[in-house]
């Protein structure tokens, strides 16, 4: 035994792969779940905080709107109050004492009752004089003068943020107020003749918002008020960069969404903030509440620490679990490696999988060598013996001795069935698969046959020709012969099993039950002859002696001359649909005839088509197309293949008649549809169909005959005959029931039409095709 050249870890490479794979899956799942939980928690907190902020700002909006409504009422009141009108509209000499008294009354009645009012300014254009209530009577308000001079750009009763300068000796302090302007104009051009400016304490609004919002200024929370006309209301030590960023995001939000409230998260100067806003459209104001994200997600960040601890613990558990599971999964491989190493008498120089692969290759080479020897000496001789039994006369002594030698549990005097399975589309199969693959398919079919037939007796198979396999079934001596329906069921199971696993379709013929091995050669020749009926029954069919006998008992020796005439008439007219219909009916006739008569009839029919095409000048002897079909009739496996190829070549020859208009095509399709749906109506006729389509009967008949090559009545009878034949094959109804369901009233007429078409009475047809007894 050689010494391992690799490390123990490398020799357990597959074990490490299992453990790492399980660990990675557990870690990825844990990390993904934790991340999803964290993201969901963050989104939930943001949504809850946003909803709370919007509710708070909505309350502030209500207070501001209430204050604004109060100011509007005050403005209306002042404009009609005698004291105010005296000041605003005076044109003569003014008594300053009188003005002072009136201003004091205004101060006492208006300003003291509305605590949010800072002061009231009055402007009299006639005297070019400004007066104030709540401040010195002749207070010099430069900002107010600028506002009045800005007319006509001065809005009425809209909040305007502005600054008032107060002088205390040489010291000047600025005070922010919110001004509402009410004025009248006169002259040409128009100018303000009188005005009232109501100044509101900005601190009153800010304090109101702060109280409602319960702002925590120590944590960086802030509230801003923004005017569409005059920008932000200054509130002291606010962060200008933050306010500008909030404004930019707000304007973008307004472009994308028209809602009056909303929230978003924004990072400014490396600090993330949650911003909520509430718009007051009537006043052109917007209130913002800004909170550092850290304060919003405070509890989530605390939870994050616990989550990381949980993830770490879970990863450790996952590693431990993966080691345990990997050991369980790896144990069978470990035992297999140990057994293989002991059996091979060598150590493992590679990882487990490479080692097992080498061991398998060595074993497979040995087995293949053994199988090839076995095939050379045993199976070849066994196949030769089976072929001898099928094709020649084997004596009783030789039969018994070689069955014992090749371990075949067959008896010389036992009853047997012979099966011949012919491969369908064999030429096409040869183009797609190699001869080795095809041989594999055939031997696989033999094995499937042997397994399928186990319950009925011993079975064996052999390949005689390139495109077939022949199989023997030894039935139990005491068992009765399998009847036809049971035999078709058995063959069907065999065919389906082959199709399920291999790209092969088989047509299977089976002999009658024969007694003794001495009768197998005759049974084989008879069964091989039965397989020729694939031409009539189609690919994948199940051919029994009883089914073939029904065809041989058919007295018809040729197809209907009338159908041939209809086909050739359609050929002259170039009607593809008419030819398709005629071919369909001809196929039914030929498929019910004996093989010899059907072959001769088909040859006659193809020759008639060739002569018609040649006489009409549509083809020449050297041309491809139908001429090739006609010359290679013996190469086609089934009658369906012949007719399909013929129709395809005729379609190429005619390339669809140009004279058949789309309108006529629609009419013909409608007639066919009506007949297919209403064939069981015994009153259905050309006149009734013409009435249904709103056409004249003569015009409809001409259009249909030109397209289909037959009259409406002939087509209707053809459909009814098809349906009657179908019901005779597939149902247990009596002939009288069937003829009524097929649309006939006259029994003798039905019998005559049916015999003309199928060459036998309905009862005979039912017995031969369905093997069912029916009472008329």
């Amino acid at each position: 035994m050689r010494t391992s050249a690799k490390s123990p870890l490398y020799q357990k490479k597959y074990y490490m792969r299992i453990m790492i794979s399980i660990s990675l899956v557990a870690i990825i799942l844990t990390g993904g779940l934790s991340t999803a939980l964290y993201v969901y928690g963050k989104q939930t907190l943001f949504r809850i905080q946003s909803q709370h902020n919007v509710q708070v700002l909505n309350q502030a909006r209500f207070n501001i709107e209430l204050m604004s409504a109060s100011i509007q009422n005050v403005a209306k009141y002042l404009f009609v109050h005698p004291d105010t009108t005296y000041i605003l509209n005076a044109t003569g000499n003014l008594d300053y004492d009188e003005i002072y008294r009136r201003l004091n009354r205004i101060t006492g009645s208006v300003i003291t009752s509305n605590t949010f009012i800072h002061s009231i300014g009055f402007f009299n254009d006639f005297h070019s004089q400004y007066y104030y209530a709540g401040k010195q009577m002749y207070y010099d308000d430069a900002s107010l003068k600028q506002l009045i001079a800005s007319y006509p750009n001065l809005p009425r009763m809209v909040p305007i943020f502005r600054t008032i300068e107060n002088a205390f000796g040489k010291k000047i302090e600025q005070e922010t107020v919110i001004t509402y302007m009410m004025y009248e104009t006169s002259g040409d051009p128009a100018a303000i003749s009188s005005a009232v400016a109501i100044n509101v304490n900005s601190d009153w609004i800010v304090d109101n918002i702060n109280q409602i919002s319960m702002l925590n200024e120590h944590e960086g929370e802030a509230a801003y008020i923004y005017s569409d006309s005059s920008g932000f209301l200054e509130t002291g030590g606010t962060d200008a960069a933050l306010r500008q960023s909030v404004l930019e995001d707000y304007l973008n939000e307004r472009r994308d969404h028209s809602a009056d409230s909303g929230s978003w998260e924004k990072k400014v100067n490396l600090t993330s903030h949650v911003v909520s806003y509430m718009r007051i459209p009537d006043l052109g104001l917007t209130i913002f509440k800004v909170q550092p994200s850290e304060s919003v997600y405070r509890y989530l960040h605390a939870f994050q620490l616990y989550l990381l601890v949980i993830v770490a613990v879970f990863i450790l558990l996952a590693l431990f679990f993966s080691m345990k599971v990997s050991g369980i999964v790896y144990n069978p491989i470990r035992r297999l490696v140990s057994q293989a190493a002991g059996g091979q008498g060598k150590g493992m120089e590679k990882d487990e999988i490479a080692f097992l692969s080498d061991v398998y290759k060595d074993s497979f080479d040995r087995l293949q060598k053994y199988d090839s020897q076995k095939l050379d000496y045993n199976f070849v001789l066994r196949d030769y013996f089976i072929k001898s039994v099928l094709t020649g006369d084997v004596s009783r002594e030789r039969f018994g001795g070689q069955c014992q030698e090749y371990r075949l549990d067959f008896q010389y005097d036992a009853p047997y069935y012979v099966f011949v399975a012919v491969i369908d589309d064999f030429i096409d199969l040869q183009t797609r698969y190699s001869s080795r693959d095809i041989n594999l398919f055939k031997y696989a079919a033999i094995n499937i046959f042997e397994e399928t037939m186990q319950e009925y007796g011993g079975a064996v198979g052999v390949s005689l020709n390139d495109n077939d396999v022949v199989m023997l079934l030894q039935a139990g001596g005491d068992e009765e012969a399998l009847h036809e329906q049971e035999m078709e069921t058995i063959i069907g199971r065999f065919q389906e099993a082959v199709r399920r696993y291999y790209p092969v379709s088989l047509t299977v013929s089976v002999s009658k039950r024969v007694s003794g091995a001495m009768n197998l050669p005759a049974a084989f020749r008879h069964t091989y002859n039965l397989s020729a009926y694939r031409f009539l029954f189609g690919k994948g069919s199940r051919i029994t002696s009883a089914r073939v006998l029904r065809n041989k008992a058919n007295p018809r020796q040729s197809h209907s001359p009338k159908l041939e005439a209809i086909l050739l008439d359609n050929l002259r007219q170039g009607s593809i649909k008419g030819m398709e219909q005629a071919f369909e009916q001809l196929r039914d006739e030929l498929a019910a005839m004996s093989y010899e008569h059907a072959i001769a009839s088909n040859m006659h029919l193809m020759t008639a088509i060739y002569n018609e095409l040649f006489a009409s000048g549509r083809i020449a002897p050297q041309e491809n197309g139908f001429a090739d079909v006609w010359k290679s009739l013996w190469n086609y496996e089934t009658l369906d293949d012949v007719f399909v190829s013929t129709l395809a070549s005729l379609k190429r020859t005619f390339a669809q008649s140009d004279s058949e208009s789309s309108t006529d095509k629609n009419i013909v399709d409608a007639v066919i549809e009506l007949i297919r749906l209403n064939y069981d109506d015994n009153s259905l006729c050309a006149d009734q169909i013409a009435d249904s389509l709103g056409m004249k009967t003569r015009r409809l008949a001409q259009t249909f005959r030109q397209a289909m090559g037959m009259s409406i009545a002939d087509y209707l009878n053809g459909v009814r005959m098809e349906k009657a034949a179908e019901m005779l094959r597939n149902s247990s109804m009596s002939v009288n029931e069937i003829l009524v369901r097929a649309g006939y009233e006259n029994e003798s007429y039905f019998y005559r039409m049916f015999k003309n078409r199928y060459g036998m009475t309905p009862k005979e047809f039912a017995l031969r095709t369905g093997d069912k007894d029916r009472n008329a």
Side-chain angles (χ1 to χ4, degrees):
M1 184 178 295
R2 292 191 297 253
T3 305
S4 173
K6 299 291 183 180
S7 67
L9 186 62
Y10 187 81
Q11 292 177 2
K12 289 190 175 183
K13 186 176 181 180
Y14 189 66
Y15 169 77
M16 296 301 296
R17 287 179 181 176
I18 297 174
M19 188 179 71
I20 292 173
S21 299
I22 296 175
S23 300
L24 284 177
V25 170
I27 292 171
I28 291 172
L29 288 176
T30 304
L33 181 62
S34 303
T35 303
L37 185 62
Y38 179 80
V39 171
Y40 175 76
K42 186 174 181 179
Q43 292 174 346
T44 302
L45 284 175
F46 175 79
R47 185 176 65 253
I48 294 172
Q49 186 63 45
S50 298
Q51 292 172 351
H52 172 72
N53 290 345
V54 169
Q55 291 175 355
V56 169
L57 294 178
N58 196 48
Q59 179 63 44
R61 169 184 174 175
F62 174 78
N63 291 348
I64 292 174
E65 288 178 338
L66 182 62
M67 177 208 70
S68 182
S70 299
I71 292 174
Q72 291 176 6
N73 291 333
V74 169
K76 294 175 184 178
Y77 167 75
L78 289 176
F79 252 83
V80 297
H81 193 277
D83 291 332
T84 305
T85 55
Y86 175 81
I87 297 172
L88 296 178
N89 301 323
T91 57
N93 294 325
L94 296 176
D95 183 349
Y96 295 110
D97 291 334
E98 180 64 23
I99 292 175
Y100 183 75
R101 285 193 299 270
R102 290 178 184 273
L103 289 174
N104 284 336
R105 282 201 295 268
I106 292 172
T107 302
S109 62
V110 176
I111 297 178
T112 57
S113 60
N114 295 281
T115 57
F116 50 80
I117 295 180
H118 172 274
S119 58
I120 302 174
F122 302 92
F123 171 66
N124 185 321
D125 181 55
F126 184 82
H127 291 283
S128 298
Q129 185 63 55
Y130 294 85
Y131 305 97
Y132 252 94
K135 295 183 75 68
Q136 300 90 348
M137 184 172 67
Y138 292 109
Y139 174 71
D140 184 15
D141 190 347
S143 176
L144 178 60
K145 294 176 181 179
Q146 292 175 359
L147 284 177
I148 293 176
S150 68
Y151 179 83
N153 298 323
L154 180 62
R156 282 188 175 90
M157 299 308 295
V158 173
I160 301 171
F161 300 162
R162 66 190 186 92
T163 302
I164 294 177
E165 292 184 350
N166 297 312
F168 300 96
K170 293 183 178 181
K171 184 179 180 182
I172 297 176
E173 292 185 358
Q174 293 183 337
E175 184 178 11
T176 302
V177 295
I178 303 173
T179 300
Y180 287 76
M181 293 296 298
M182 188 74 172
Y183 56 84
E184 288 184 347
T185 60
S186 62
D188 187 15
I192 296 177
S193 58
S194 59
V196 174
I198 303 177
N199 300 314
V200 178
N201 287 311
S202 62
D203 291 341
W204 181 91
I205 296 179
V206 173
D207 291 342
N208 186 274
I209 294 174
N210 290 342
Q211 290 175 6
I212 294 174
S213 303
M214 294 184 294
L215 296 177
N216 189 340
E217 296 181 356
H218 297 291
E219 293 186 356
E221 296 182 353
Y224 306 142
I225 304 174
Y226 175 78
S227 171
D228 294 342
S229 60
S230 50
F232 279 102
L233 172 64
E234 293 289 347
T235 57
T238 56
D239 189 335
L242 178 59
R243 282 192 292 125
Q244 184 60 33
S245 177
V246 167
L247 178 60
E248 292 174 359
D249 290 340
Y250 167 69
L251 295 177
N252 292 332
E253 181 79 9
R254 291 291 299 164
R255 278 195 296 269
D256 298 336
H257 306 285
S258 59
D260 288 337
S261 62
S263 297
W264 67 84
E265 193 167 2
K266 175 72 173 181
K267 180 175 285 189
V268 179
N269 295 334
L270 302 179
T271 303
S272 181
H273 297 81
V274 174
V275 181
S276 300
Y277 73 90
M278 173 62 67
R279 179 169 172 77
I280 310 175
D282 295 339
L283 302 179
L285 297 178
T286 304
I287 312 170
F288 297 97
K289 181 179 180 180
V290 181
Q291 299 171 276
S293 299
E294 185 68 28
S295 65
V296 175
Y297 303 131
R298 180 185 301 112
Y299 299 108
L300 180 64
H301 293 159
F303 173 71
Q304 184 180 13
L305 179 61
Y306 292 109
L307 193 62
L308 290 174
V309 174
I310 293 172
V311 169
V313 172
F314 192 89
I315 289 175
L316 292 175
L317 291 175
L319 292 173
F320 176 77
F321 174 77
S322 66
M323 292 178 63
K324 290 295 183 182
V325 172
S326 301
I328 295 173
V329 174
Y330 183 74
N331 272 337
I333 299 174
R334 180 183 56 77
R335 288 194 296 268
L336 184 60
V337 169
S338 177
Q339 292 173 1
Q344 295 292 322
K346 61 181 181 180
M348 183 172 62
E349 297 183 357
K350 301 179 180 179
D351 65 88
E352 312 97 296
I353 302 303
F355 172 73
L356 290 175
S357 178
D358 289 344
V359 172
Y360 171 78
K361 187 176 181 302
D362 291 342
S363 301
F364 183 78
D365 290 342
R366 294 182 183 181
L367 184 61
Q368 195 172 34
K369 182 178 180 180
Y370 172 75
D371 286 344
S372 64
Q373 293 174 350
K374 187 177 181 182
L375 285 173
D376 289 342
Y377 300 108
N378 191 17
F379 279 88
V380 171
L381 292 177
R382 192 199 73 165
D383 287 354
Y384 178 76
F385 166 65
I386 296 171
K387 292 176 184 178
S388 300
V389 171
L390 292 171
T391 58
D393 188 11
V394 177
S395 66
R396 182 186 297 272
E397 292 76 13
R398 183 188 170 196
F399 184 90
Q402 294 199 338
C403 283
Q404 184 177 4
E405 180 180 353
Y406 303 129
R407 298 181 181 179
L408 296 173
D409 190 17
F410 285 173
Q411 303 297 323
Y412 188 79
D413 295 321
Y416 290 93
Y417 292 94
V418 178
F419 295 81
V420 175
V422 181
I423 301 175
D424 298 324
D425 297 315
F426 184 71
I427 295 176
D428 178 64
L429 197 70
Q430 286 179 310
T431 62
R432 293 185 290 120
Y433 297 96
S434 65
S435 58
R436 181 178 179 180
D437 291 335
I438 294 174
N439 286 330
L440 172 63
F441 298 156
K442 290 195 291 184
Y443 281 107
I446 292 172
N447 290 332
I448 292 173
F449 177 82
E450 292 174 355
E451 293 176 4
T452 305
M453 297 299 175
Q454 282 181 355
E455 61 180 293
Y456 302 99
V460 69
V462 67
S463 174
L464 285 183
N465 301 299
D466 289 341
N467 67 331
D468 61 41
V469 290
V470 181
M471 296 157 291
L472 290 178
L473 170 64
Q474 175 182 279
D478 298 332
E479 296 178 359
E480 296 182 359
L482 298 170
H483 56 75
E484 181 182 4
Q485 186 175 359
E486 187 176 1
M487 183 61 74
E488 288 189 3
T489 301
I490 295 170
I491 295 174
R493 289 207 306 268
F494 164 62
Q495 291 171 318
E496 179 60 30
V498 172
R499 275 195 302 268
R500 185 181 304 121
Y501 299 108
Y502 299 96
V504 176
S505 169
L506 299 176
T507 296
V508 181
S509 307
V510 60
S511 69
K512 294 181 180 179
R513 178 180 168 124
V514 296
S515 298
M518 74 289 294
N519 295 316
L520 285 176
F524 165 68
R525 290 191 296 273
H526 173 70
T527 309
Y528 216 88
N529 291 334
L530 292 182
S531 64
Y533 272 81
R534 177 180 67 170
F535 184 77
L536 301 182
F537 298 156
K539 299 169 186 174
S541 55
R542 304 153 196 175
I543 305 173
T544 62
S545 297
R547 188 176 182 184
V548 171
L549 283 176
R550 288 197 290 270
N551 277 54
K552 289 186 175 182
N554 187 349
R556 183 181 288 278
Q557 297 183 2
S558 179
H559 59 268
S560 168
K562 181 179 179 181
L563 285 178
E564 180 181 333
I566 291 173
L567 175 64
L568 296 178
D569 188 36
N570 280 282
L571 188 62
R572 296 184 193 100
Q573 297 179 24
S575 173
I576 298 298
K577 285 190 176 180
M579 287 187 284
E580 287 176 346
Q581 183 68 25
F583 271 123
E584 184 178 349
Q585 296 178 14
L586 284 165
R587 189 232 172 275
D588 290 341
E589 286 190 353
L590 293 179
M593 295 164 52
S594 68
Y595 174 76
E596 296 79 7
H597 293 154
I599 290 292
S601 183
N602 178 61
M603 192 67 186
H604 170 79
L605 182 65
M606 295 296 111
T607 303
I609 294 173
Y610 178 82
N611 290 336
E612 179 62 35
L613 291 173
F614 184 68
S616 64
R618 293 186 181 275
I619 62 171
Q622 301 83 5
E623 289 182 351
N624 296 327
F626 181 76
D628 290 338
V629 176
W630 182 71
K631 292 174 184 177
S632 58
L633 283 177
W634 297 108
N635 294 331
Y636 290 98
E637 293 183 354
T638 66
L639 185 62
D640 286 335
D641 289 344
V642 175
F643 283 0
V644 168
S645 297
T646 301
L647 270 172
S649 65
L650 292 176
K651 286 179 181 179
R652 291 193 297 270
T653 301
F654 288 100
Q656 194 66 39
S657 175
D658 294 333
S659 62
E660 190 175 64
S661 67
S662 60
T663 303
D664 289 347
K665 180 178 179 300
N666 292 335
I667 292 173
V668 172
D669 289 342
V671 173
I672 292 174
E673 184 69 15
L674 282 171
I675 291 175
R676 291 286 180 182
L677 293 175
N678 302 289
Y679 68 88
D680 56 345
D681 182 0
N682 55 43
S683 64
L684 186 66
C685 61
D687 291 338
Q688 182 179 340
I689 295 173
D691 289 340
S692 299
L693 299 177
M695 295 179 62
K696 292 183 178 181
T697 304
R698 184 176 180 182
R699 160 71 175 142
L700 179 63
Q702 289 176 345
T703 301
F704 191 85
R705 179 177 287 277
Q706 184 177 1
M708 300 296 294
M710 65 179 71
S711 67
I712 294 177
D714 287 342
Y715 183 82
L716 175 59
N717 274 325
V719 171
R720 285 172 170 168
M721 285 290 106
E722 289 177 8
K723 298 298 181 181
E726 182 180 342
M727 287 185 278
L728 286 167
R729 278 194 297 265
N730 302 322
S731 73
S732 58
M733 292 185 291
S734 68
V735 176
N736 281 339
E737 289 178 298
I738 290 174
L739 71 90
V740 172
R741 287 178 177 266
Y744 290 98
E745 286 184 305
N746 190 310
E747 182 178 351
S748 61
Y749 176 72
F750 171 71
Y751 270 77
R752 185 169 67 255
M753 293 292 294
F754 194 91
K755 190 168 185 179
N756 287 339
R757 182 179 178 88
Y758 294 104
M760 64 187 78
T761 66
K763 286 183 180 180
E764 292 171 340
F765 183 88
L767 290 172
R768 291 176 182 177
T769 60
D771 198 21
K772 299 176 182 178
D773 293 328
R774 292 176 173 83
N775 296 319

